[in-house]
Amino acid sequence: MQVTRPGPPSRGGQNACVAALLQATWPQVLAWRMRRQLLDPVGEVDVVDVVRRLCGVQAQVPAAASLAVRVRQQNPPAGGAARALEERRLTRTWAMRGTLHLLAPSEAGAYLSLVGASRSWEKGSWQKAFGLAPEEVVMLVEAVGQVLDGQVLSRDELVTAVGELLDRPDLEAELRSGWGAVLKPVAWQGGLCHATYDGNRVSFARPDQWLPDWAGVPDPEEAAQLVIPAYLRAYGPATPERFDAWLTRGTSGKAAVRSWFAALDDRLATVEVDGEPTFMLAEDVDDLGGTSPTHTVRLLPGFDQYVLGPGTKAEEIIAPARRAAVSRTAGWISPVVVAGGRVAGTWEIDGDRVRVRLFEEAGPIPDGALDAEVARIEELR
């Protein structure tokens, strides 16, 4: 292991944030989140339970998604996430923020419902970028449903079959795009999901036929009753705006998001954190109040939910001056060192070695704790 300790950040600093509720402090809140996210302590749970607890695991990079699950398990089996996908106990599809996620099939439709509630494909900017009018998206959803009925198709096979059915060869370029922008609205309406993925090629199926536990796509109002509490259990206390930033990068209708939270009014408690009113489940208030700060050190993979859940702008976990070190170009989210709940540095694999770069302002981190985490990552990766 090599550890480098660079100079202090060029701007900003670490604020001492204090929560008003029960004299809680940000260190208490972060310790509570780490426990809820199976980081302190690590859980004795199945891969599907990890994914449920985290409200999905971002899976643009399959190796990072696999490691995000394994670091939260005491005795993680090799290839657990891949096996759960093969056994159809997990599904991989476009979800939050338009990115690929692992989701539990029984709950996936609720998350897709809220992502799709923004109806992004009906906005002028989307139509200009991708060339499809709203009524053409409706036809695309219907066509995908027809060509996938009873079969699994590769992307090329799907594109060809849809183009022939609609007599629209002009759609092929967008449908073949690796980013899947035109296919995302289909996924959000329950029209397709990934069936198999070997690192190079993906195939698609209808979730209602592929996934034994598929529960359909409910109305957004019903979906919010499941998704918002799940989010607050993992990433709270939080505001509606932060929830929507995680869900759609803030593009959902503000009135809709407010109504989803209002419908949960009898289950929510208002908590002031550093003078800002936020929400958490009322049933979790006492648990938060009884939580002690943690000194646990964890190395987390790139695109980890601990960072993505609250978002890289969440100053309670990432100092503003360090955001660029975590949220990098082209949407890359660095592997991070977390100490006491805050991002204290980044790490990378250099050959056979783990290289750790600690932030100066993070303060001293016991070498023994860091060494143990490095050894654990080397064993798991």
Side-chain angles (χ1 to χ4, degrees):
M1 176 184 71
Q2 178 174 330
V3 180
T4 58
R5 297 178 182 268
S10 60
R11 67 184 191 279
Q14 181 173 342
N15 294 327
C17 300
V18 180
L21 173 69
L22 301 176
Q23 302 300 312
T25 64
W26 269 119
Q28 284 179 293
V29 171
L30 299 181
W32 185 79
R33 288 186 190 168
M34 288 189 71
R35 187 170 76 249
R36 292 297 308 162
Q37 295 177 44
L38 303 170
L39 293 172
D40 185 22
V42 173
E44 295 186 39
V45 290
D46 175 74
V47 57
V48 178
D49 293 325
V50 176
V51 171
R52 282 199 179 106
R53 179 74 72 96
L54 298 178
C55 305
V57 171
Q58 186 162 319
Q60 297 285 130
V61 180
S66 175
L67 188 55
V69 171
R70 299 186 78 205
V71 298
R72 290 169 165 87
Q73 296 176 291
Q74 286 193 13
N75 299 294
R83 189 175 306 110
L85 284 168
E86 292 173 2
E87 295 170 351
R88 309 185 196 185
R89 296 186 299 121
L90 287 178
T91 185
R92 186 171 185 258
T93 191
W94 290 286
M96 281 67 74
R97 304 175 304 285
T99 59
L100 287 168
H101 275 70
L102 302 180
L103 290 165
S106 62
E107 302 172 353
Y111 289 91
L112 299 177
S113 173
L114 293 194
V115 174
S118 65
R119 312 289 292 184
S120 59
W121 59 93
E122 295 179 354
K123 298 176 181 179
S125 57
W126 192 94
Q127 296 170 41
K128 182 178 180 181
F130 304 113
L132 268 71
E135 59 271 18
E136 292 176 303
V137 173
V138 172
M139 290 191 300
L140 178 61
V141 172
E142 294 175 350
V144 169
Q146 289 184 48
V147 301
L148 287 180
D149 188 17
Q151 58 183 343
V152 174
L153 298 178
S154 70
R155 186 189 293 271
D156 284 343
E157 291 168 337
L158 176 65
V159 169
T160 299
V162 168
E164 291 176 352
L165 181 63
L166 295 178
D167 193 22
R168 288 287 303 271
D170 56 303
L171 282 178
E172 290 200 11
E174 291 297 344
L175 287 171
R176 292 183 192 280
S177 167
W179 295 107
V182 174
L183 292 176
K184 291 176 185 180
V186 183
W188 297 335
Q189 295 174 73
L192 58 73
C193 65
H194 283 201
T196 60
Y197 178 71
D198 64 8
N200 297 304
R201 289 168 54 91
V202 63
S203 63
F204 297 97
R206 280 175 43 168
D208 62 330
Q209 297 177 349
W210 181 253
L211 302 169
D213 293 335
W214 175 251
V217 179
D219 290 337
E221 292 73 19
E222 179 184 346
Q225 296 284 317
L226 182 150
V227 175
I228 292 175
Y231 178 84
L232 294 177
R233 287 189 191 104
Y235 308 107
T239 63
E241 291 76 19
R242 178 171 285 190
F243 169 78
D244 189 36
W246 165 79
L247 184 71
T248 66
R249 294 192 174 94
T251 62
S252 300
K254 290 182 173 57
V257 176
R258 285 196 299 267
S259 72
W260 298 339
F261 272 77
L264 289 161
D265 182 64
D266 61 340
R267 297 182 60 189
L268 302 182
T270 301
V271 180
E272 281 196 4
V273 181
D274 196 25
E276 180 185 15
T278 63
F279 296 101
M280 70 182 304
L281 292 182
E283 64 193 54
D284 290 332
V285 169
D286 289 344
D287 189 34
L288 173 61
T291 299
S292 298
T294 180
H295 300 289
T296 295
V297 176
R298 289 282 181 256
L299 265 61
L300 304 180
F303 303 96
D304 194 82
Q305 297 303 126
Y306 187 78
V307 171
L308 293 176
T312 59
K313 294 181 180 179
E315 295 183 18
E316 72 268 20
I317 61 169
I318 302 173
R322 296 300 188 185
R323 183 171 181 253
V326 177
S327 181
R328 301 170 65 182
T329 57
W332 185 264
I333 305 298
S334 298
V336 295
V337 181
V338 173
R342 287 183 59 83
V343 172
T346 61
W347 63 273
E348 63 181 357
I349 299 294
D350 184 4
D352 294 329
R353 304 178 66 188
V354 173
R355 293 185 180 272
V356 176
R357 295 182 175 86
L358 296 177
F359 302 151
E360 182 70 22
E361 72 278 9
I365 296 177
D367 287 341
L370 198 56
D371 290 344
E373 274 299 286
V374 167
R376 187 163 182 261
I377 290 295
E378 290 177 343
E379 180 182 352
L380 292 177
R381 58 180 288 270

